[in-house]
Amino acid sequence: MGGSAGTTTLLVYLTLSAAHRNTRTNVCKWCNYSQPICEGGTCFSNCNLSSYCETSEEICVSLWKQDNDSVQVITLCHHPQYPLENVLVPSYNSVRCVMEAVPTRTGRLYICGCVDEQECNDKLIFYNDIDGYSLLHSREVVPVAVISLLPPLLLAITVTVLFYLYRTQRLRKRSKAWQEKPGDYSYRLSLTSSSQCNISIACANSINHNTELLPIELEQRVGKGRIAEVWRAKLKHSETVAVKIFPFQGYSSWKNEICIFTDANVKHENVLQFLTAEERVSSLQKQYWIITAYHARGNLKDYLTSHVLSWTSFLKMAGSVVNGLAHLHSDYTPCGTPKIAIAHRDIKSTNILVKSESECVLCDFGITLRLDPSLTVDAFANSGQVGTARYMAPEVLESRVNLEDLESFKQMDVYSLALVLWEMGSRCEAVGEVKTYELPFGSMMQEEPCIESIRDLVLNRKERPDIPLTWRRHPGMDVLCDTIMECWDHDPEARLTAPCVAERFSLMEQMDAVSTYSSGYY
Ligand code: ADE
């Protein structure tokens, strides 16, 4: 049955409804024209009129008519044997109204039929061909998307522009302030932790160049090494920091040092605290900076020159040096996290800073080596003879380092540590009469000995710094003397390991605590 709709349909519904209430006829949506509403992949006729069909043969039908820019839906009761818009309803035995496409000359027509007493032609299901739905949907989606995306887009653009203006303003101010300083323009390097960085390329990859400038005012030069010099400096007019400045030629030491520092697992109370690194372009030449904590007491050599240590402060200070080295050598952090072991390779009293009356930190990681077990022997091939001649182990002086065994690098450090412990011990009141400070082998050679004279002394004559018998009168000192001698053994494999030395120190501390408690002698 073809039906007329509109206002008369409501009448049809009311008059027919009573007559058909007790017969099994379908109840269908019945609108001559409605604009469908689609939501989440389903469309509804948007027709608000319904009717009982006149006969039980009539089914509910929906027609979706679509031309270039409009969609309209016709809903009605209809006898399926008769054509509608010149087409027969393809299938209609279901309670679901599944749309099927019918090509026409004017556009596209979709038709569905269903049987139900509950307006089954209201919900229009597109299974195979969703063009009709997409057409309508795309028309709805585009304006909705535009309207909802526009405000955040505008906000993002505004924030970006404001941030850009703020940054350019700051950069202008800072570069003005830098005009009379040694490095008048700098790139701050924000450094990410990289546990995999090995000396060369990977280190460079861990550096993230950004243009943030750090307002540092250099105050006084406090040290000068072979490659770099160290300055005391003020950061942001408040905090005092140390700035290690490498010339252009010192790039690889700078890079190696920041590579060590930026391994998060290297952080330790007895390792110099790293703050940041910078690449500066002065008016003359490029410079590389490392900014760290500043320690006003200076290096251990200078400190020992002017201070005599009590046994208790010796134990704490020397113990902290040992702990710092044991941490570098360890495969684990104190928290148990696996880490790459590190060999310092230039342990000496000028590379140790005095943090307090009872604590030191290790510094200067310019030639430090990451003992990455995944690297091949070739990676360590050029790692033989480095460091400071005076503190070089016999196997280093002899160029007979076993590069196949990464423990060799730790054994060299332990030898140098023994010389530092000797230096500290020589300035401890527990030895009896404390002599003026002397470097190891200081009485046997000049200020800056060449490698040949050290080789002759340490390798050929197997000399070591003197340990007078008087030192051994003190029970703790006696343990220290044995420890030192086991650390500078000619045979690298016979040397104690750094963790072992750390254990000896805790033993000596216990002895000290007991004797202080029982006699009050110390
Ligand atoms: N000499 C070398 N590094 C130093 C630092 N961080 N603090 C004080 N003096 C130093």
Side-chain angles (χ1 to χ4, degrees):
M1 156 184 162
S4 65
T7 46
T8 51
T9 320
L10 184 58
L11 208 59
V12 171
Y13 175 70
L14 293 172
T15 50
L16 293 180
S17 61
H20 293 276
R21 207 162 290 148
N22 295 321
T23 57
R24 289 189 62 82
T25 56
N26 294 315
V27 178
C28 307
K29 282 286 184 191
W30 195 337
C31 285
N32 217 1
Y33 168 80
S34 64
Q35 281 221 293
I37 296 171
C38 294
E39 204 180 294
T42 309
C43 295
F44 290 89
S45 67
N46 196 22
C47 162
N48 52 14
L49 298 175
S50 304
S51 174
Y52 281 98
C53 294
E54 244 178 76
T55 64
S56 57
E57 287 83 35
E58 282 178 308
I59 60 164
C60 301
V61 172
S62 286
L63 270 166
W64 176 293
K65 285 173 131 180
Q66 180 180 324
D67 59 26
N68 285 344
D69 55 4
S70 73
V71 170
Q72 59 167 301
V73 165
I74 298 163
T75 43
L76 69 162
C77 286
H78 175 72
H79 198 297
Q81 278 180 352
Y82 301 106
L84 190 65
E85 302 266 339
N86 293 327
V87 289
L88 283 169
V89 181
S91 59
Y92 47 83
N93 287 327
S94 159
V95 292
R96 295 155 69 82
C97 214
V98 178
M99 284 293 190
E100 288 192 30
V102 182
T104 65
R105 253 177 274 128
T106 50
R108 260 192 137 168
L109 181 76
Y110 294 81
I111 190 163
C112 72
C114 56
V115 283
D116 189 23
E117 291 171 10
Q118 291 182 9
E119 306 164 343
C120 62
N121 62 339
D122 185 33
K123 188 174 176 183
L124 314 173
I125 300 164
F126 290 86
Y127 271 153
N128 306 323
D129 188 336
I130 56 161
D131 283 2
Y133 164 74
S134 322
L135 178 89
L136 186 73
H137 195 65
S138 63
R139 265 205 221 109
E140 282 171 358
V141 163
V142 172
V144 168
V146 168
I147 290 164
S148 54
L149 287 179
L150 206 60
L153 204 66
L154 285 175
L155 186 69
I157 293 169
T158 315
V159 169
T160 312
V161 169
L162 287 176
F163 183 68
Y164 174 77
L165 291 174
Y166 165 76
R167 285 292 297 263
T168 39
Q169 188 77 3
R170 267 182 77 193
L171 280 175
R172 224 175 282 141
K173 268 190 196 163
R174 291 245 183 110
S175 49
K176 237 185 203 176
W178 272 103
Q179 267 163 13
E180 279 147 32
K181 297 292 168 196
D184 54 14
Y185 184 63
S186 89
Y187 297 95
R188 170 137 173 257
L189 307 169
S190 102
L191 301 151
T192 51
S193 292
S194 156
S195 57
Q196 286 316 310
C197 81
N198 64 36
I199 314 153
S200 53
I201 302 155
C203 287
N205 291 344
S206 77
I207 299 167
N208 178 17
H209 295 253
N210 85 42
T211 50
E212 178 101 359
L213 298 165
L214 209 60
I216 297 177
E217 203 176 307
L218 297 178
E219 290 181 336
Q220 193 187 354
R221 197 175 81 177
V222 292
K224 181 160 172 46
R226 272 174 306 202
I227 300 171
E229 43 184 55
V230 179
W231 286 69
R232 188 186 70 214
K234 270 267 187 308
L235 179 62
K236 290 181 186 150
H237 310 290
S238 59
E239 196 186 344
T240 299
V241 292
V243 180
K244 189 168 179 182
I245 303 177
F246 297 75
F248 181 65
Q249 303 84 330
Y251 175 75
S252 62
S253 298
W254 172 79
K255 194 175 68 174
N256 192 55
E257 194 152 357
I258 56 179
C259 183
I260 299 298
F261 273 134
T262 53
D263 180 343
N265 294 327
V266 168
K267 259 190 164 185
H268 189 268
E269 60 210 1
N270 303 120
V271 171
L272 180 61
Q273 189 199 346
F274 170 78
L275 299 174
T276 191
E278 291 183 354
E279 197 178 302
R280 293 192 173 232
V281 185
S282 79
S283 45
L284 296 168
Q285 218 179 21
K286 215 170 189 178
Q287 287 181 338
Y288 302 101
W289 288 21
I290 287 179
I291 298 140
T292 63
Y294 177 74
H295 296 295
R297 290 175 181 84
N299 70 45
L300 183 62
K301 178 187 175 236
D302 294 342
Y303 187 83
L304 292 176
T305 307
S306 55
H307 291 80
V308 170
L309 310 176
S310 69
W311 174 244
T312 305
S313 66
F314 163 81
L315 276 184
K316 287 185 177 151
M317 269 193 157
S320 71
V321 173
V322 174
N323 286 342
L325 189 66
H327 169 68
L328 293 186
H329 284 188
S330 177
D331 294 320
Y332 293 93
T333 66
C335 313
T337 315
K339 73 179 252 300
I340 301 280
I342 286 167
H344 186 285
R345 304 206 299 164
D346 202 11
I347 292 287
K348 57 179 176 179
S349 51
T350 47
N351 282 344
I352 295 167
L353 297 170
V354 180
K355 189 174 168 183
S356 71
E357 305 290 299
S358 56
E359 206 170 13
C360 294
V361 292
L362 303 180
C363 69
D364 199 338
F365 302 96
I367 54 167
T368 293
L369 197 61
R370 287 164 56 84
L371 305 176
D372 188 338
S374 66
L375 297 178
T376 60
V377 175
D378 294 346
F380 299 102
N382 295 324
S383 309
Q385 208 169 56
V386 291
T388 306
R390 189 186 295 274
Y391 289 84
M392 272 181 195
E395 67 276 17
V396 183
L397 292 166
E398 205 181 4
S399 297
R400 282 177 64 119
V401 175
N402 179 6
L403 298 177
E404 302 246 325
D405 183 6
L406 296 183
E407 286 299 306
S408 314
F409 296 99
K410 298 181 189 173
Q411 290 155 1
M412 299 174 205
D413 276 350
V414 169
Y415 173 90
S416 316
L417 174 73
L419 298 185
V420 171
L421 293 179
W422 176 89
E423 279 173 83
M424 296 179 85
S426 73
R427 294 292 288 163
C428 174
E429 59 191 21
V431 298
E433 191 197 339
V434 180
K435 297 200 181 135
T436 52
Y437 170 79
E438 253 181 15
L439 278 166
F441 310 111
S443 57
M444 307 175 207
M445 47 186 57
Q446 76 243 34
E447 263 289 297
E448 288 282 329
C450 60
I451 199 158
E452 285 73 28
S453 38
I454 291 281
R455 197 175 285 139
D456 181 51
L457 198 71
V458 172
L459 200 60
N460 305 337
R461 289 155 45 196
K462 298 204 169 48
E463 290 277 6
R464 296 294 185 270
D466 187 32
I467 297 184
L469 272 178
T470 50
W471 286 27
R472 291 189 176 271
R473 285 190 199 140
H474 182 285
M477 230 358 176
D478 191 35
V479 177
L480 176 76
C481 294
D482 288 341
T483 306
I484 291 174
M485 290 175 70
E486 286 174 78
C487 287
W488 66 33
D489 200 294
H490 193 84
D491 176 4
E493 300 209 346
R495 287 174 206 151
L496 294 177
T497 62
C500 228
V501 183
E503 252 174 58
R504 292 276 178 98
F505 269 82
S506 57
L507 180 76
M508 286 185 274
E509 284 199 52
Q510 283 167 31
M511 284 167 65
D512 184 46
V514 170
S515 58
T516 306
Y517 176 75
S518 60
S519 70
Y521 171 74
Y522 293 95

